Amino acid sequence: MSADVRARHHKEALVANVYYEADCDRSLIANRKVAILGYGSQGHAHALNLKESGIDVRVGLREGSGSRAKAEAAGLAVATIADAVAEADVIMVLLPDTEQAEIYAEHIEPNLSDGDALFFAHGFNIRFDLIEPSAGVDVCMVAPKGPGHLVRRTYTEGGGVPCLIAVENDATGGAKALSLAYADALGGARAGIIETTFTEECETDLFGEQVVLCGGTTELVRSGFDTLVEAGYQPEVAYFECLHELKLIVDLMYEEGIAGMRYSVSDTAEYGDLTRGPRIIDDSVRETMKTILSEIQSGQFAEEWVAESKSGRKNFHALEAAGHDLKIESVGKELRAMMPWISAGKQSVQDASGGQG
Ligand code: NAD
Ligand code: MG
């Protein structure tokens, strides 16, 4: 790509179409029958938001699901996954990524008809060819850029979570307009909808959560906390410094960007940031980021995770349990109990949705 083309590309990217309510034709989803498969973090939010947007929605759950009572108590119609798919013509798959392929083969595919639309909230199963829908089915994505409980909470507050949409297969010629309509009914058009591809959404989503949002941040916080505690400082002081205050700094970045955050902190903090930050996240860290990205792109990560899940998640559970035993968690629990306002506005996802039922 010449510098000229690159510049133009960049400019186009900067003015990329962001769709709002006026760009969406809600009737396209209002005329359909929607099945929401799963009632977990995303499932409960999609089902309830769509219902309150006037959409004909039913929830598909496995036999004996613990979520059935919760969904019914919320006024939702509940069916088996097979029946929900057969009855509906828009099917949103909100089951765990590692389980989707098996459930698809057994309960979804036999009940799909040409002209139906199959929706996902993450590109994982389509990008890595774990699910290969037939050519007669629209394959669409509406991926909220936020956790399920916020998709629900912001909607009830009159707002919404920004969404990515994508079309992998446009069998009917109306897949994009239908995706916009779905995202609108979910509340996403209030915040903004951006079009992407299954590949871009999937690879950037996995990269973000591994390198920056979850993996990178938790290890940065933990390492900072451990360094201070090992040097003899009080764990409580280390907790406030390395974990609690992170939110305040991130809020400033969220509201005003990096420069805005730097404007608000002291000159001393800013000089330390500018001169020490690149020593922590140095070239070797950037190299590792590239390696992790290539593991995502090659499908190596997806293969490892699906195999780990299929063999009982032993390593996953061991790592998760080890995380619970950390000093930073016990110290944090005590300190947060003294700041009840922190958890006062928080809604338990476990309560709002069906959890792992
Ligand atoms: P979840 O684990 O919270 O919920 C999954 C649901 O599937 C639950 O109702 C569970 O009971 C049910 N389930 C689990 N195993 C099942 C099985 N074998 N058969 C039938 N039902 C089963 O999942 P989630 O986090 O809501 O994720 C759903 C999808 O949304 C995934 O594709 C995920 O990548 C995507 N997504 C999630 C978030 C998020 O905030 N959690 C954000 C964006 C996209
Ligand atoms: Mg059907």
Side-chain angles (χ1 to χ4, degrees), residues 37-43 61-62 65 67 81 93-97 99-100 103 121-122 143-149 201 205 353-357:
L37 308 185
Y39 200 67
S41 175
Q42 287 292 327
L61 298 174
R62 62 185 146 180
S65 166
S67 304
I81 291 178
V93 184
L94 297 173
L95 304 162
D97 294 312
E99 312 304 312
Q100 288 180 12
I103 300 168
H122 182 25
K145 287 287 98 182
H149 75 279
E201 182 279 336
D205 190 74
S353 66
Q356 293 304 303

PDB file of all heavy atoms in Angstrom, residues 37-43 61-62 65 67 81 93-97 99-100 103 121-122 143-149 201 205 353-357, ligand 1:
ATOM      1  N   LEU A  37     -30.929 -18.321  22.501  1.00  0.00           N
ATOM      2  CA  LEU A  37     -30.470 -19.600  23.056  1.00  0.00           C
ATOM      3  C   LEU A  37     -29.483 -19.336  24.192  1.00  0.00           C
ATOM      4  O   LEU A  37     -28.429 -18.744  23.990  1.00  0.00           O
ATOM      5  CB  LEU A  37     -29.812 -20.449  21.966  1.00  0.00           C
ATOM      6  CG  LEU A  37     -30.655 -20.651  20.695  1.00  0.00           C
ATOM      7  CD1 LEU A  37     -29.949 -21.619  19.741  1.00  0.00           C
ATOM      8  CD2 LEU A  37     -32.062 -21.162  21.040  1.00  0.00           C
ATOM      9  N   GLY A  38     -29.854 -19.744  25.409  1.00  0.00           N
ATOM     10  CA  GLY A  38     -29.025 -19.489  26.594  1.00  0.00           C
ATOM     11  C   GLY A  38     -29.574 -18.306  27.370  1.00  0.00           C
ATOM     12  O   GLY A  38     -30.183 -17.392  26.790  1.00  0.00           O
ATOM     13  N   TYR A  39     -29.407 -18.364  28.695  1.00  0.00           N
ATOM     14  CA  TYR A  39     -29.934 -17.282  29.537  1.00  0.00           C
ATOM     15  C   TYR A  39     -28.869 -16.899  30.559  1.00  0.00           C
ATOM     16  O   TYR A  39     -29.108 -16.762  31.743  1.00  0.00           O
ATOM     17  CB  TYR A  39     -31.226 -17.747  30.226  1.00  0.00           C
ATOM     18  CG  TYR A  39     -32.104 -16.616  30.730  1.00  0.00           C
ATOM     19  CD1 TYR A  39     -32.733 -15.748  29.841  1.00  0.00           C
ATOM     20  CD2 TYR A  39     -32.297 -16.420  32.101  1.00  0.00           C
ATOM     21  CE1 TYR A  39     -33.538 -14.717  30.309  1.00  0.00           C
ATOM     22  CE2 TYR A  39     -33.111 -15.391  32.575  1.00  0.00           C
ATOM     23  CZ  TYR A  39     -33.729 -14.546  31.672  1.00  0.00           C
ATOM     24  OH  TYR A  39     -34.529 -13.523  32.135  1.00  0.00           O
ATOM     25  N   GLY A  40     -27.634 -16.772  30.066  1.00  0.00           N
ATOM     26  CA  GLY A  40     -26.522 -16.368  30.938  1.00  0.00           C
ATOM     27  C   GLY A  40     -26.316 -14.867  30.871  1.00  0.00           C
ATOM     28  O   GLY A  40     -27.277 -14.102  30.761  1.00  0.00           O
ATOM     29  N   SER A  41     -25.054 -14.461  30.922  1.00  0.00           N
ATOM     30  CA  SER A  41     -24.701 -13.043  30.948  1.00  0.00           C
ATOM     31  C   SER A  41     -25.332 -12.287  29.778  1.00  0.00           C
ATOM     32  O   SER A  41     -26.054 -11.310  29.965  1.00  0.00           O
ATOM     33  CB  SER A  41     -23.172 -12.923  30.928  1.00  0.00           C
ATOM     34  OG  SER A  41     -22.795 -11.573  30.828  1.00  0.00           O
ATOM     35  N   GLN A  42     -25.109 -12.739  28.559  1.00  0.00           N
ATOM     36  CA  GLN A  42     -25.686 -12.066  27.398  1.00  0.00           C
ATOM     37  C   GLN A  42     -27.148 -12.459  27.189  1.00  0.00           C
ATOM     38  O   GLN A  42     -27.979 -11.629  26.850  1.00  0.00           O
ATOM     39  CB  GLN A  42     -24.892 -12.404  26.121  1.00  0.00           C
ATOM     40  CG  GLN A  42     -23.533 -11.721  26.037  1.00  0.00           C
ATOM     41  CD  GLN A  42     -23.628 -10.213  25.851  1.00  0.00           C
ATOM     42  OE1 GLN A  42     -24.538  -9.708  25.218  1.00  0.00           O
ATOM     43  NE2 GLN A  42     -22.687  -9.490  26.429  1.00  0.00           N
ATOM     44  N   GLY A  43     -27.454 -13.756  27.382  1.00  0.00           N
ATOM     45  CA  GLY A  43     -28.789 -14.261  27.056  1.00  0.00           C
ATOM     46  C   GLY A  43     -29.906 -13.516  27.767  1.00  0.00           C
ATOM     47  O   GLY A  43     -30.893 -13.109  27.139  1.00  0.00           O
ATOM     48  N   LEU A  61     -33.702 -23.230  26.047  1.00  0.00           N
ATOM     49  CA  LEU A  61     -32.827 -23.755  27.099  1.00  0.00           C
ATOM     50  C   LEU A  61     -32.783 -25.270  27.032  1.00  0.00           C
ATOM     51  O   LEU A  61     -33.728 -25.903  26.560  1.00  0.00           O
ATOM     52  CB  LEU A  61     -33.350 -23.339  28.480  1.00  0.00           C
ATOM     53  CG  LEU A  61     -33.408 -21.830  28.776  1.00  0.00           C
ATOM     54  CD1 LEU A  61     -34.077 -21.585  30.128  1.00  0.00           C
ATOM     55  CD2 LEU A  61     -32.011 -21.228  28.752  1.00  0.00           C
ATOM     56  N   ARG A  62     -31.675 -25.831  27.540  1.00  0.00           N
ATOM     57  CA  ARG A  62     -31.601 -27.301  27.560  1.00  0.00           C
ATOM     58  C   ARG A  62     -32.590 -27.848  28.583  1.00  0.00           C
ATOM     59  O   ARG A  62     -33.012 -27.142  29.506  1.00  0.00           O
ATOM     60  CB  ARG A  62     -30.181 -27.755  27.878  1.00  0.00           C
ATOM     61  CG  ARG A  62     -29.700 -27.307  29.240  1.00  0.00           C
ATOM     62  CD  ARG A  62     -28.258 -27.672  29.471  1.00  0.00           C
ATOM     63  NE  ARG A  62     -27.619 -26.647  30.292  1.00  0.00           N
ATOM     64  CZ  ARG A  62     -26.374 -26.669  30.660  1.00  0.00           C
ATOM     65  NH1 ARG A  62     -25.584 -27.628  30.276  1.00  0.00           N
ATOM     66  NH2 ARG A  62     -25.871 -25.700  31.406  1.00  0.00           N
ATOM     67  N   SER A  65     -32.938 -27.110  32.607  1.00  0.00           N
ATOM     68  CA  SER A  65     -32.118 -25.932  32.885  1.00  0.00           C
ATOM     69  C   SER A  65     -32.583 -25.189  34.133  1.00  0.00           C
ATOM     70  O   SER A  65     -33.775 -24.952  34.317  1.00  0.00           O
ATOM     71  CB  SER A  65     -32.180 -24.983  31.687  1.00  0.00           C
ATOM     72  OG  SER A  65     -31.664 -23.723  32.058  1.00  0.00           O
ATOM     73  N   SER A  67     -32.162 -22.204  34.624  1.00  0.00           N
ATOM     74  CA  SER A  67     -32.544 -20.839  34.246  1.00  0.00           C
ATOM     75  C   SER A  67     -34.018 -20.721  33.881  1.00  0.00           C
ATOM     76  O   SER A  67     -34.540 -19.609  33.784  1.00  0.00           O
ATOM     77  CB  SER A  67     -31.721 -20.375  33.034  1.00  0.00           C
ATOM     78  OG  SER A  67     -30.353 -20.481  33.304  1.00  0.00           O
ATOM     79  N   ILE A  81     -34.161 -25.959  23.195  1.00  0.00           N
ATOM     80  CA  ILE A  81     -33.380 -25.303  22.138  1.00  0.00           C
ATOM     81  C   ILE A  81     -33.927 -25.709  20.772  1.00  0.00           C
ATOM     82  O   ILE A  81     -34.157 -24.868  19.903  1.00  0.00           O
ATOM     83  CB  ILE A  81     -31.884 -25.636  22.300  1.00  0.00           C
ATOM     84  CG1 ILE A  81     -31.346 -24.939  23.560  1.00  0.00           C
ATOM     85  CG2 ILE A  81     -31.090 -25.227  21.060  1.00  0.00           C
ATOM     86  CD1 ILE A  81     -29.900 -25.200  23.887  1.00  0.00           C
ATOM     87  N   VAL A  93     -27.403 -17.194  19.131  1.00  0.00           N
ATOM     88  CA  VAL A  93     -26.713 -18.233  19.901  1.00  0.00           C
ATOM     89  C   VAL A  93     -25.903 -17.578  21.027  1.00  0.00           C
ATOM     90  O   VAL A  93     -24.865 -16.968  20.776  1.00  0.00           O
ATOM     91  CB  VAL A  93     -25.777 -19.050  18.982  1.00  0.00           C
ATOM     92  CG1 VAL A  93     -25.137 -20.189  19.771  1.00  0.00           C
ATOM     93  CG2 VAL A  93     -26.540 -19.592  17.772  1.00  0.00           C
ATOM     94  N   LEU A  94     -26.406 -17.681  22.248  1.00  0.00           N
ATOM     95  CA  LEU A  94     -25.710 -17.079  23.401  1.00  0.00           C
ATOM     96  C   LEU A  94     -25.331 -18.158  24.410  1.00  0.00           C
ATOM     97  O   LEU A  94     -25.553 -18.044  25.612  1.00  0.00           O
ATOM     98  CB  LEU A  94     -26.574 -15.972  24.015  1.00  0.00           C
ATOM     99  CG  LEU A  94     -26.816 -14.798  23.044  1.00  0.00           C
ATOM    100  CD1 LEU A  94     -27.811 -13.800  23.611  1.00  0.00           C
ATOM    101  CD2 LEU A  94     -25.497 -14.104  22.692  1.00  0.00           C
ATOM    102  N   LEU A  95     -24.749 -19.217  23.869  1.00  0.00           N
ATOM    103  CA  LEU A  95     -24.257 -20.355  24.648  1.00  0.00           C
ATOM    104  C   LEU A  95     -22.742 -20.198  24.765  1.00  0.00           C
ATOM    105  O   LEU A  95     -22.137 -19.442  23.997  1.00  0.00           O
ATOM    106  CB  LEU A  95     -24.610 -21.649  23.907  1.00  0.00           C
ATOM    107  CG  LEU A  95     -26.106 -21.809  23.606  1.00  0.00           C
ATOM    108  CD1 LEU A  95     -26.337 -22.849  22.504  1.00  0.00           C
ATOM    109  CD2 LEU A  95     -26.853 -22.192  24.881  1.00  0.00           C
ATOM    110  N   PRO A  96     -22.106 -20.921  25.705  1.00  0.00           N
ATOM    111  CA  PRO A  96     -20.644 -20.798  25.812  1.00  0.00           C
ATOM    112  C   PRO A  96     -19.967 -21.149  24.473  1.00  0.00           C
ATOM    113  O   PRO A  96     -20.371 -22.103  23.804  1.00  0.00           O
ATOM    114  CB  PRO A  96     -20.284 -21.822  26.892  1.00  0.00           C
ATOM    115  CG  PRO A  96     -21.536 -22.000  27.697  1.00  0.00           C
ATOM    116  CD  PRO A  96     -22.661 -21.829  26.728  1.00  0.00           C
ATOM    117  N   ASP A  97     -18.945 -20.381  24.103  1.00  0.00           N
ATOM    118  CA  ASP A  97     -18.283 -20.572  22.810  1.00  0.00           C
ATOM    119  C   ASP A  97     -17.803 -22.007  22.610  1.00  0.00           C
ATOM    120  O   ASP A  97     -17.869 -22.540  21.513  1.00  0.00           O
ATOM    121  CB  ASP A  97     -17.101 -19.598  22.700  1.00  0.00           C
ATOM    122  CG  ASP A  97     -17.571 -18.154  22.666  1.00  0.00           C
ATOM    123  OD1 ASP A  97     -18.497 -17.853  21.890  1.00  0.00           O
ATOM    124  OD2 ASP A  97     -17.032 -17.334  23.432  1.00  0.00           O
ATOM    125  N   GLU A  99     -19.106 -24.710  23.710  1.00  0.00           N
ATOM    126  CA  GLU A  99     -20.197 -25.699  23.621  1.00  0.00           C
ATOM    127  C   GLU A  99     -21.027 -25.553  22.353  1.00  0.00           C
ATOM    128  O   GLU A  99     -21.838 -26.423  22.027  1.00  0.00           O
ATOM    129  CB  GLU A  99     -21.147 -25.566  24.830  1.00  0.00           C
ATOM    130  CG  GLU A  99     -20.470 -25.505  26.191  1.00  0.00           C
ATOM    131  CD  GLU A  99     -19.565 -26.687  26.444  1.00  0.00           C
ATOM    132  OE1 GLU A  99     -20.008 -27.826  26.212  1.00  0.00           O
ATOM    133  OE2 GLU A  99     -18.402 -26.465  26.835  1.00  0.00           O
ATOM    134  N   GLN A 100     -20.874 -24.405  21.676  1.00  0.00           N
ATOM    135  CA  GLN A 100     -21.790 -24.083  20.579  1.00  0.00           C
ATOM    136  C   GLN A 100     -21.802 -25.111  19.447  1.00  0.00           C
ATOM    137  O   GLN A 100     -22.865 -25.463  18.933  1.00  0.00           O
ATOM    138  CB  GLN A 100     -21.473 -22.696  20.019  1.00  0.00           C
ATOM    139  CG  GLN A 100     -21.879 -21.564  20.963  1.00  0.00           C
ATOM    140  CD  GLN A 100     -21.562 -20.191  20.404  1.00  0.00           C
ATOM    141  OE1 GLN A 100     -21.246 -20.060  19.218  1.00  0.00           O
ATOM    142  NE2 GLN A 100     -21.631 -19.176  21.242  1.00  0.00           N
ATOM    143  N   ILE A 103     -23.860 -28.260  20.335  1.00  0.00           N
ATOM    144  CA  ILE A 103     -25.294 -27.946  20.444  1.00  0.00           C
ATOM    145  C   ILE A 103     -25.850 -27.625  19.051  1.00  0.00           C
ATOM    146  O   ILE A 103     -26.979 -27.989  18.721  1.00  0.00           O
ATOM    147  CB  ILE A 103     -25.516 -26.771  21.426  1.00  0.00           C
ATOM    148  CG1 ILE A 103     -24.996 -27.153  22.817  1.00  0.00           C
ATOM    149  CG2 ILE A 103     -26.989 -26.379  21.491  1.00  0.00           C
ATOM    150  CD1 ILE A 103     -24.884 -25.997  23.794  1.00  0.00           C
ATOM    151  N   ALA A 121     -22.902 -13.534  19.025  1.00  0.00           N
ATOM    152  CA  ALA A 121     -22.419 -12.323  19.705  1.00  0.00           C
ATOM    153  C   ALA A 121     -20.893 -12.283  19.728  1.00  0.00           C
ATOM    154  O   ALA A 121     -20.287 -11.395  20.320  1.00  0.00           O
ATOM    155  CB  ALA A 121     -22.971 -12.254  21.130  1.00  0.00           C
ATOM    156  N   HIS A 122     -20.280 -13.289  19.097  1.00  0.00           N
ATOM    157  CA  HIS A 122     -18.817 -13.369  19.043  1.00  0.00           C
ATOM    158  C   HIS A 122     -18.487 -14.240  17.827  1.00  0.00           C
ATOM    159  O   HIS A 122     -19.183 -15.218  17.568  1.00  0.00           O
ATOM    160  CB  HIS A 122     -18.302 -13.997  20.343  1.00  0.00           C
ATOM    161  CG  HIS A 122     -16.803 -14.095  20.454  1.00  0.00           C
ATOM    162  ND1 HIS A 122     -15.935 -13.269  19.774  1.00  0.00           N
ATOM    163  CD2 HIS A 122     -16.024 -14.915  21.202  1.00  0.00           C
ATOM    164  CE1 HIS A 122     -14.692 -13.579  20.103  1.00  0.00           C
ATOM    165  NE2 HIS A 122     -14.718 -14.587  20.959  1.00  0.00           N
ATOM    166  N   ALA A 143     -22.524  -8.010  18.334  1.00  0.00           N
ATOM    167  CA  ALA A 143     -21.640  -8.216  19.483  1.00  0.00           C
ATOM    168  C   ALA A 143     -21.594  -6.936  20.322  1.00  0.00           C
ATOM    169  O   ALA A 143     -20.954  -5.967  19.932  1.00  0.00           O
ATOM    170  CB  ALA A 143     -20.238  -8.597  19.013  1.00  0.00           C
ATOM    171  N   PRO A 144     -22.279  -6.942  21.465  1.00  0.00           N
ATOM    172  CA  PRO A 144     -22.208  -5.772  22.343  1.00  0.00           C
ATOM    173  C   PRO A 144     -20.779  -5.625  22.868  1.00  0.00           C
ATOM    174  O   PRO A 144     -20.148  -6.621  23.234  1.00  0.00           O
ATOM    175  CB  PRO A 144     -23.160  -6.118  23.488  1.00  0.00           C
ATOM    176  CG  PRO A 144     -23.997  -7.249  23.000  1.00  0.00           C
ATOM    177  CD  PRO A 144     -23.138  -8.001  22.033  1.00  0.00           C
ATOM    178  N   LYS A 145     -20.286  -4.404  22.887  1.00  0.00           N
ATOM    179  CA  LYS A 145     -18.935  -4.181  23.394  1.00  0.00           C
ATOM    180  C   LYS A 145     -19.000  -3.887  24.882  1.00  0.00           C
ATOM    181  O   LYS A 145     -18.592  -2.829  25.364  1.00  0.00           O
ATOM    182  CB  LYS A 145     -18.255  -3.051  22.610  1.00  0.00           C
ATOM    183  CG  LYS A 145     -17.841  -3.432  21.204  1.00  0.00           C
ATOM    184  CD  LYS A 145     -16.627  -4.357  21.166  1.00  0.00           C
ATOM    185  CE  LYS A 145     -16.967  -5.819  21.019  1.00  0.00           C
ATOM    186  NZ  LYS A 145     -15.787  -6.702  21.033  1.00  0.00           N
ATOM    187  N   GLY A 146     -19.545  -4.843  25.626  1.00  0.00           N
ATOM    188  CA  GLY A 146     -19.629  -4.705  27.077  1.00  0.00           C
ATOM    189  C   GLY A 146     -20.232  -5.963  27.657  1.00  0.00           C
ATOM    190  O   GLY A 146     -20.857  -6.747  26.933  1.00  0.00           O
ATOM    191  N   PRO A 147     -20.053  -6.175  28.969  1.00  0.00           N
ATOM    192  CA  PRO A 147     -20.602  -7.374  29.598  1.00  0.00           C
ATOM    193  C   PRO A 147     -22.128  -7.368  29.599  1.00  0.00           C
ATOM    194  O   PRO A 147     -22.755  -6.302  29.548  1.00  0.00           O
ATOM    195  CB  PRO A 147     -20.054  -7.332  31.026  1.00  0.00           C
ATOM    196  CG  PRO A 147     -19.393  -6.023  31.204  1.00  0.00           C
ATOM    197  CD  PRO A 147     -19.312  -5.323  29.894  1.00  0.00           C
ATOM    198  N   GLY A 148     -22.713  -8.578  29.661  1.00  0.00           N
ATOM    199  CA  GLY A 148     -24.159  -8.728  29.564  1.00  0.00           C
ATOM    200  C   GLY A 148     -24.939  -7.910  30.582  1.00  0.00           C
ATOM    201  O   GLY A 148     -25.973  -7.326  30.255  1.00  0.00           O
ATOM    202  N   HIS A 149     -24.450  -7.858  31.815  1.00  0.00           N
ATOM    203  CA  HIS A 149     -25.247  -7.141  32.815  1.00  0.00           C
ATOM    204  C   HIS A 149     -25.311  -5.648  32.509  1.00  0.00           C
ATOM    205  O   HIS A 149     -26.269  -4.980  32.866  1.00  0.00           O
ATOM    206  CB  HIS A 149     -24.771  -7.426  34.251  1.00  0.00           C
ATOM    207  CG  HIS A 149     -23.512  -6.753  34.653  1.00  0.00           C
ATOM    208  ND1 HIS A 149     -22.266  -7.221  34.327  1.00  0.00           N
ATOM    209  CD2 HIS A 149     -23.314  -5.620  35.354  1.00  0.00           C
ATOM    210  CE1 HIS A 149     -21.361  -6.421  34.813  1.00  0.00           C
ATOM    211  NE2 HIS A 149     -21.958  -5.425  35.439  1.00  0.00           N
ATOM    212  N   GLU A 201     -13.688  -8.903  14.294  1.00  0.00           N
ATOM    213  CA  GLU A 201     -14.269  -8.903  15.647  1.00  0.00           C
ATOM    214  C   GLU A 201     -13.625  -9.978  16.495  1.00  0.00           C
ATOM    215  O   GLU A 201     -13.215  -9.748  17.628  1.00  0.00           O
ATOM    216  CB  GLU A 201     -15.787  -9.135  15.575  1.00  0.00           C
ATOM    217  CG  GLU A 201     -16.500  -9.102  16.936  1.00  0.00           C
ATOM    218  CD  GLU A 201     -16.411 -10.386  17.741  1.00  0.00           C
ATOM    219  OE1 GLU A 201     -16.203 -11.463  17.164  1.00  0.00           O
ATOM    220  OE2 GLU A 201     -16.528 -10.314  18.977  1.00  0.00           O
ATOM    221  N   ASP A 205     -11.110  -9.082  19.498  1.00  0.00           N
ATOM    222  CA  ASP A 205     -11.733  -9.346  20.791  1.00  0.00           C
ATOM    223  C   ASP A 205     -10.840 -10.258  21.639  1.00  0.00           C
ATOM    224  O   ASP A 205     -10.590  -9.986  22.813  1.00  0.00           O
ATOM    225  CB  ASP A 205     -13.101  -9.995  20.557  1.00  0.00           C
ATOM    226  CG  ASP A 205     -13.926 -10.098  21.829  1.00  0.00           C
ATOM    227  OD1 ASP A 205     -14.435  -9.057  22.280  1.00  0.00           O
ATOM    228  OD2 ASP A 205     -14.055 -11.203  22.369  1.00  0.00           O
ATOM    229  N   SER A 353     -29.346 -13.132  35.830  1.00  0.00           N
ATOM    230  CA  SER A 353     -29.449 -14.148  34.799  1.00  0.00           C
ATOM    231  C   SER A 353     -29.554 -15.504  35.478  1.00  0.00           C
ATOM    232  O   SER A 353     -29.693 -15.603  36.672  1.00  0.00           O
ATOM    233  CB  SER A 353     -28.219 -14.100  33.903  1.00  0.00           C
ATOM    234  OG  SER A 353     -27.075 -14.473  34.635  1.00  0.00           O
ATOM    235  N   GLY A 354     -29.504 -16.522  34.697  1.00  0.00           N
ATOM    236  CA  GLY A 354     -29.661 -17.844  35.272  1.00  0.00           C
ATOM    237  C   GLY A 354     -28.365 -18.442  35.786  1.00  0.00           C
ATOM    238  O   GLY A 354     -28.334 -19.567  36.239  1.00  0.00           O
ATOM    239  N   GLY A 355     -27.265 -17.693  35.669  1.00  0.00           N
ATOM    240  CA  GLY A 355     -25.973 -18.266  36.037  1.00  0.00           C
ATOM    241  C   GLY A 355     -25.660 -19.436  35.151  1.00  0.00           C
ATOM    242  O   GLY A 355     -25.936 -19.412  33.969  1.00  0.00           O
ATOM    243  N   GLN A 356     -25.144 -20.485  35.715  1.00  0.00           N
ATOM    244  CA  GLN A 356     -24.754 -21.639  34.906  1.00  0.00           C
ATOM    245  C   GLN A 356     -25.852 -22.695  34.884  1.00  0.00           C
ATOM    246  O   GLN A 356     -25.593 -23.880  34.839  1.00  0.00           O
ATOM    247  CB  GLN A 356     -23.438 -22.222  35.426  1.00  0.00           C
ATOM    248  CG  GLN A 356     -22.262 -21.284  35.231  1.00  0.00           C
ATOM    249  CD  GLN A 356     -22.079 -20.879  33.779  1.00  0.00           C
ATOM    250  OE1 GLN A 356     -21.919 -21.708  32.892  1.00  0.00           O
ATOM    251  NE2 GLN A 356     -22.125 -19.586  33.485  1.00  0.00           N
ATOM    252  N   GLY A 357     -27.112 -22.273  34.936  1.00  0.00           N
ATOM    253  CA  GLY A 357     -28.209 -23.246  34.937  1.00  0.00           C
ATOM    254  C   GLY A 357     -28.432 -23.806  33.558  1.00  0.00           C
ATOM    255  O   GLY A 357     -29.371 -24.461  33.272  1.00  0.00           O
TER     256      GLY A 357
HETATM  257  P1  NAD B   1     -22.736 -17.607  29.858  1.00  0.00           P
HETATM  258  O1  NAD B   1     -21.791 -18.658  30.268  1.00  0.00           O
HETATM  259  O2  NAD B   1     -22.982 -16.452  30.800  1.00  0.00           O
HETATM  260  O3  NAD B   1     -24.163 -18.222  29.526  1.00  0.00           O
HETATM  261  C1  NAD B   1     -24.280 -19.357  28.722  1.00  0.00           C
HETATM  262  C2  NAD B   1     -25.678 -19.941  28.786  1.00  0.00           C
HETATM  263  O4  NAD B   1     -25.659 -21.208  28.126  1.00  0.00           O
HETATM  264  C3  NAD B   1     -26.191 -20.199  30.195  1.00  0.00           C
HETATM  265  O5  NAD B   1     -27.576 -19.998  30.191  1.00  0.00           O
HETATM  266  C4  NAD B   1     -25.878 -21.683  30.398  1.00  0.00           C
HETATM  267  O6  NAD B   1     -26.719 -22.261  31.332  1.00  0.00           O
HETATM  268  C5  NAD B   1     -26.131 -22.226  29.006  1.00  0.00           C
HETATM  269  N1  NAD B   1     -25.375 -23.453  28.714  1.00  0.00           N
HETATM  270  C6  NAD B   1     -24.133 -23.764  29.112  1.00  0.00           C
HETATM  271  N2  NAD B   1     -23.770 -24.961  28.632  1.00  0.00           N
HETATM  272  C7  NAD B   1     -24.837 -25.427  27.935  1.00  0.00           C
HETATM  273  C8  NAD B   1     -25.088 -26.622  27.218  1.00  0.00           C
HETATM  274  N3  NAD B   1     -24.161 -27.574  27.123  1.00  0.00           N
HETATM  275  N4  NAD B   1     -26.293 -26.760  26.618  1.00  0.00           N
HETATM  276  C9  NAD B   1     -27.229 -25.796  26.712  1.00  0.00           C
HETATM  277  N5  NAD B   1     -27.041 -24.634  27.377  1.00  0.00           N
HETATM  278  C10 NAD B   1     -25.860 -24.461  27.988  1.00  0.00           C
HETATM  279  O7  NAD B   1     -22.253 -17.086  28.420  1.00  0.00           O
HETATM  280  P2  NAD B   1     -22.100 -15.570  27.917  1.00  0.00           P
HETATM  281  O8  NAD B   1     -20.918 -14.955  28.593  1.00  0.00           O
HETATM  282  O9  NAD B   1     -23.410 -14.897  27.946  1.00  0.00           O
HETATM  283  O10 NAD B   1     -21.651 -15.811  26.388  1.00  0.00           O
HETATM  284  C11 NAD B   1     -22.569 -16.112  25.370  1.00  0.00           C
HETATM  285  C12 NAD B   1     -21.994 -15.625  24.050  1.00  0.00           C
HETATM  286  O11 NAD B   1     -21.902 -14.199  24.088  1.00  0.00           O
HETATM  287  C13 NAD B   1     -20.603 -16.127  23.723  1.00  0.00           C
HETATM  288  O12 NAD B   1     -20.490 -16.293  22.341  1.00  0.00           O
HETATM  289  C14 NAD B   1     -19.710 -14.986  24.173  1.00  0.00           C
HETATM  290  O13 NAD B   1     -18.467 -14.943  23.519  1.00  0.00           O
HETATM  291  C15 NAD B   1     -20.572 -13.806  23.777  1.00  0.00           C
HETATM  292  N6  NAD B   1     -20.277 -12.547  24.467  1.00  0.00           N
HETATM  293  C16 NAD B   1     -20.296 -12.517  25.834  1.00  0.00           C
HETATM  294  C17 NAD B   1     -20.078 -11.327  26.493  1.00  0.00           C
HETATM  295  C18 NAD B   1     -20.223 -11.237  28.002  1.00  0.00           C
HETATM  296  O14 NAD B   1     -20.356 -10.157  28.489  1.00  0.00           O
HETATM  297  N7  NAD B   1     -20.247 -12.311  28.767  1.00  0.00           N
HETATM  298  C19 NAD B   1     -19.797 -10.149  25.758  1.00  0.00           C
HETATM  299  C20 NAD B   1     -19.805 -10.207  24.351  1.00  0.00           C
HETATM  300  C21 NAD B   1     -20.055 -11.416  23.725  1.00  0.00           C
END
